[in-house]
Amino acid sequence: MSKTWKLIRIMLKMQFSLAQKSTSEKMGYLFLLLFAIPFSVFIFFALDGIIGGLYDVLAPTGNESFILGILLMMMFVLFVFVSIGSILSSFYFAEDIESFITLPFQPYQIMLGKSATPFLTLYLTNTAILAPALFIYGLHSEAGITYYIYSVIIWLITPILPFVLTAIVIMYLMRFLNISKNKDRMKIFAGLFMFIFIIGINIVFRLNTSSTETGEEFAQIITEQNALIEMFTKLFPHAYLSSISLTQPDTTLGIVFLLLTVLLTIAIFFIYLTAGQKLYFKGVLGLSGGSKKVFNEEKALKQMKQGNVLFISWLKEMRIMLRTPTFFTQIIVQSLVFPILFIVIVVFDSGGGQFSVLSLGPMIEQADEKKVILSLLGFTVFALGINPAAISSISRDGKNWFNHLYMPIRAETVIMSKVVAAFSINLLTIIVIGVVAFIFAKIPITIGGIWIGLSLIISWITCIAGTTLDLYTPHLKWTDEREVFKGRMIGILSLIIEVVVFGSIILLLWNIKLFEGLWLTSIVLLVVFTLLSILSHVILKKVIRTHFYSILQKK
């Protein structure tokens, strides 16, 4: 066991050591810590309002356990979502895996060492959401000391079950991926598993939720004690056990359910160790094998032809993002999650309730066109959010950046190919949302066309801004692709700039009475966005001149 702890400490030091971090990166961690304080206060008061309101409604009928049950269900889904990407990256796609395989460690020991960093991520999320939620519930229910003891135990074991279940499934699937001769395609297939799982979970919940049944049965269910939690936790027995143990901590049933929850977690964890011992190395060795190909010079010469430099550079960037597993999951999958979930919500929830997406078109026709176009653009800013392709444009090259210094390609061409690649990723989001808006929501053609056109300009500006920020403060000295995205403030900084700039423009036009009507508002927005686009190009060119050839000289 001591060898396992030493291995875990080594891997944690490798991941979080500040030894070779630049001053800007260290300041970024400090800024992130300071930013977390007001964010935590906001989360606390938001949870207090939600839990307090639900408790006042559900407590009189004895259904207060529903609050904890639904909270634990949401945490389970969230932990699975976070774990899929971190498990794939840490267990299979990190560059140091083959180095550890040669050391005298058992497979389960290396697997536990690789689990340390993902577990820390889960416990940080657990501390930010579940811990204050349990504390707030205790305050509203006036719980005794037994409740808080149980809460600490539940808090400790909650991340374990979703993580180990996800890891077992992934290890089982990766065990059979070594039958392929194409390593890159199999890694991409594994990355797609995360995307499919997220959408599948959402569809299952919506298929199992009928608005008609809910309306007929809710009146009866709400009158029965713990009936709500029994209905909503059919697929999550641990959430039911934990919630009942917390709402009845001083009863025999509460103690029994807590013990059952702990025993269930321990049993699954030992299955996790067994699965790791049997399956982990088989999946890792299968991925590291690759395929042996004989170089055919004649065939290669036939495929070589002269083309547009910008297009070829863009194609190279797209291939890197599609073929590198970490980049694929962090950029492509992350960019598609929001629009695909948007489609699922529309398709599976288009007929329920008084308000529906299907009624959005008639509502827009009757609303103020100026406020409609401004609201749609605000939605676009939210949908695009942080563009991971733009804020990693330069950093993705890593130590290979020096290749650009002697290749006969202009610096502006190299950078613009990265901007266009980031814009292409955003374009997928815009197309999907546009199709849903026109086909399902039946937004008027004129408003929809103006909205999509202005959204394309917004996307182009954000891509330039993200690429400029990454060129100004790149992270090239990484040993694992995950470092390009984790522990950097560039994503938050990019989002702040985007919200401040576009949010201010939308807010000003919303309140200025001088600009009314769809066409006048759209012309003003077009002029402003065009000027912003020109300004962003000027700033990018200046940063290219001052930083493109001196990046590697920075410490």
Side-chain angles (χ1 to χ4, degrees):
M1 195 64 186
S2 60
K3 292 174 62 177
T4 306
W5 283 113
K6 288 180 181 179
L7 184 61
I8 291 174
R9 288 198 300 270
I10 290 172
M11 290 190 178
L12 288 176
K13 287 181 179 179
M14 291 175 60
Q15 186 68 30
F16 297 104
S17 175
L18 297 177
Q20 295 184 344
K21 300 290 184 181
S22 64
T23 304
S24 61
E25 288 179 283
K26 294 178 182 178
M27 292 300 295
Y29 288 124
L30 178 61
F31 182 77
L32 182 62
L33 180 62
L34 296 175
F35 179 79
I37 297 174
F39 181 75
S40 301
V41 174
F42 170 78
I43 290 292
F44 184 87
F45 283 105
L47 289 173
D48 182 58
I50 296 172
I51 293 175
L54 287 174
Y55 189 86
D56 293 338
V57 174
L58 298 173
T61 60
N63 281 289
E64 63 272 19
S65 59
F66 170 76
I67 302 172
L68 295 174
I70 202 70
L71 173 67
L72 292 169
M73 286 170 53
M74 292 172 62
M75 295 303 297
F76 183 93
V77 175
L78 176 62
F79 287 152
V80 169
F81 171 73
V82 175
S83 298
I84 292 174
S86 60
I87 289 171
L88 287 172
S89 299
S90 180
F91 282 33
Y92 295 99
F93 302 148
E95 294 185 352
D96 59 356
I97 296 175
E98 295 183 1
S99 300
F100 284 108
I101 290 178
T102 59
L103 298 177
F105 292 107
Q106 293 294 323
Y108 80 90
Q109 293 176 318
I110 297 178
M111 182 194 67
L112 286 176
K114 285 291 181 181
S115 302
T117 299
F119 255 121
L120 282 181
T121 304
L122 295 186
Y123 274 105
L124 286 175
T125 308
N126 208 29
T127 303
I129 301 176
L130 185 60
L134 293 175
F135 178 74
I136 291 169
Y137 180 89
L139 293 179
H140 284 282
S141 62
E142 298 180 353
I145 186 65
T146 308
Y147 166 82
Y148 291 102
I149 295 175
Y150 284 16
S151 296
V152 173
I153 297 173
I154 297 296
W155 177 85
L156 285 172
I157 65 177
T158 295
I160 297 176
L161 192 61
F163 179 85
V164 299
L165 287 176
T166 305
I168 290 171
V169 173
I170 290 177
M171 285 190 292
Y172 182 79
L173 292 176
M174 298 297 285
R175 161 67 180 87
F176 297 100
L177 294 183
N178 61 358
I179 61 176
S180 172
K181 296 181 179 180
N182 194 313
K183 178 177 67 174
D184 291 332
R185 289 182 182 175
M186 285 300 98
K187 289 185 178 183
I188 296 304
F189 174 81
L192 277 173
F193 174 76
M194 181 180 78
F195 179 66
I196 296 171
F197 181 85
I198 297 168
I199 305 304
I201 284 290
N202 195 280
I203 293 176
V204 167
F205 273 114
R206 293 187 173 275
L207 288 176
N208 288 331
T209 303
S210 171
S211 58
T212 304
E213 293 177 359
T214 301
E216 295 175 350
E217 299 176 2
F218 188 76
Q220 179 182 356
I221 292 174
I222 197 68
T223 60
E224 302 177 10
Q225 185 177 13
N226 294 327
L228 278 177
I229 186 63
E230 291 178 4
M231 181 181 73
F232 280 91
T233 57
K234 293 177 181 178
L235 297 177
F236 301 89
H238 77 288
Y240 176 76
L241 296 174
S242 300
S243 59
I244 298 299
S245 66
L246 288 172
T247 52
Q248 303 179 33
D250 297 319
T251 64
T252 303
L253 183 64
I255 297 174
V256 171
F257 277 20
L258 179 65
L259 290 176
L260 287 176
T261 305
V262 174
L263 291 175
L264 175 64
T265 304
I266 294 174
I268 296 296
F269 187 77
F270 275 104
I271 295 175
Y272 169 62
L273 295 180
T274 305
Q277 183 70 16
K278 299 291 185 181
L279 302 174
Y280 181 52
F281 272 9
K282 295 178 181 178
V284 171
L285 294 175
L287 286 177
S288 63
S291 61
K292 296 182 179 180
K293 294 183 178 180
V294 179
F295 178 73
N296 190 323
E297 182 179 358
E298 183 179 352
K299 185 178 180 180
L301 289 174
K302 289 182 180 180
Q303 292 180 345
M304 292 175 61
K305 58 182 179 180
Q306 187 174 357
N308 182 272
V309 178
L310 179 61
F311 173 76
I312 298 300
S313 300
W314 167 81
L315 192 60
K316 184 200 73 171
E317 293 294 329
M318 296 300 296
R319 285 175 175 172
I320 289 174
M321 288 188 285
L322 288 170
R323 294 178 177 179
T324 307
T326 302
F327 295 156
F328 180 80
T329 55
Q330 294 289 338
I331 298 175
I332 308 297
V333 172
Q334 183 175 317
S335 299
L336 288 176
V337 165
F338 179 84
I340 298 300
L341 282 178
F342 184 60
I343 291 179
V344 171
I345 292 171
V346 170
V347 172
F348 290 92
D349 196 31
S350 58
Q354 295 181 350
F355 174 77
S356 171
V357 177
L358 295 178
S359 64
L360 191 57
M363 290 174 58
I364 288 177
E365 291 179 351
Q366 299 174 4
D368 184 356
E369 292 181 332
K370 169 187 172 180
K371 293 183 178 180
V372 167
I373 192 66
L374 292 176
S375 300
L376 290 175
L377 289 176
F379 173 77
T380 298
V381 174
F382 171 76
L384 297 180
I386 300 173
N387 186 344
I391 62 175
S392 63
S393 297
I394 312 303
S395 300
R396 285 196 302 267
D397 290 339
K399 297 176 182 178
N400 294 325
W401 174 259
F402 72 91
N403 292 333
H404 297 299
L405 303 183
Y406 61 82
M407 291 181 65
I409 302 177
R410 297 174 62 247
E412 289 79 5
T413 303
V414 173
I415 299 301
M416 287 309 300
S417 68
K418 296 177 179 293
V419 174
V420 175
F423 179 78
S424 301
I425 303 301
N426 265 359
L427 186 61
L428 293 176
T429 302
I430 295 174
I431 290 174
V432 171
I433 294 175
V435 169
V436 174
F438 285 115
I439 295 179
F440 292 96
K442 301 186 183 303
I443 290 179
I445 299 296
T446 303
I447 294 178
I450 294 174
W451 170 40
I452 296 298
L454 293 175
S455 297
L456 292 173
I457 302 177
I458 292 176
S459 175
W460 181 254
I461 296 172
T462 57
C463 291
I464 293 177
T467 304
T468 303
L469 287 173
D470 197 39
L471 179 59
Y472 189 79
T473 58
H475 180 51
L476 301 176
K477 298 179 181 179
W478 50 264
T479 56
D480 187 337
E481 291 92 346
R482 292 174 297 168
E483 298 175 24
V484 175
F485 305 95
K486 293 185 177 181
R488 301 182 68 204
M489 293 303 301
I490 186 172
I492 296 177
L493 182 59
S494 176
L495 181 61
I496 291 174
I497 294 174
E498 180 180 340
V499 171
V500 170
V501 173
F502 294 108
S504 300
I505 294 171
I506 293 173
L507 189 61
L508 284 174
L509 288 177
W510 188 286
N511 294 290
I512 294 177
K513 303 298 182 182
L514 180 62
F515 304 110
E516 295 292 340
L518 174 64
W519 291 106
L520 181 57
T521 304
S522 301
I523 291 172
V524 173
L525 286 169
L526 179 61
V527 172
V528 173
F529 290 167
T530 302
L531 292 175
L532 280 176
S533 179
I534 295 172
L535 178 61
S536 62
H537 273 273
V538 172
I539 295 174
L540 177 59
K541 286 186 177 181
K542 183 177 181 181
V543 175
I544 290 174
R545 288 196 301 269
T546 56
H547 288 74
F548 187 88
Y549 294 102
S550 60
I551 289 178
L552 294 178
Q553 299 175 4
K554 296 181 180 181
K555 295 182 179 181

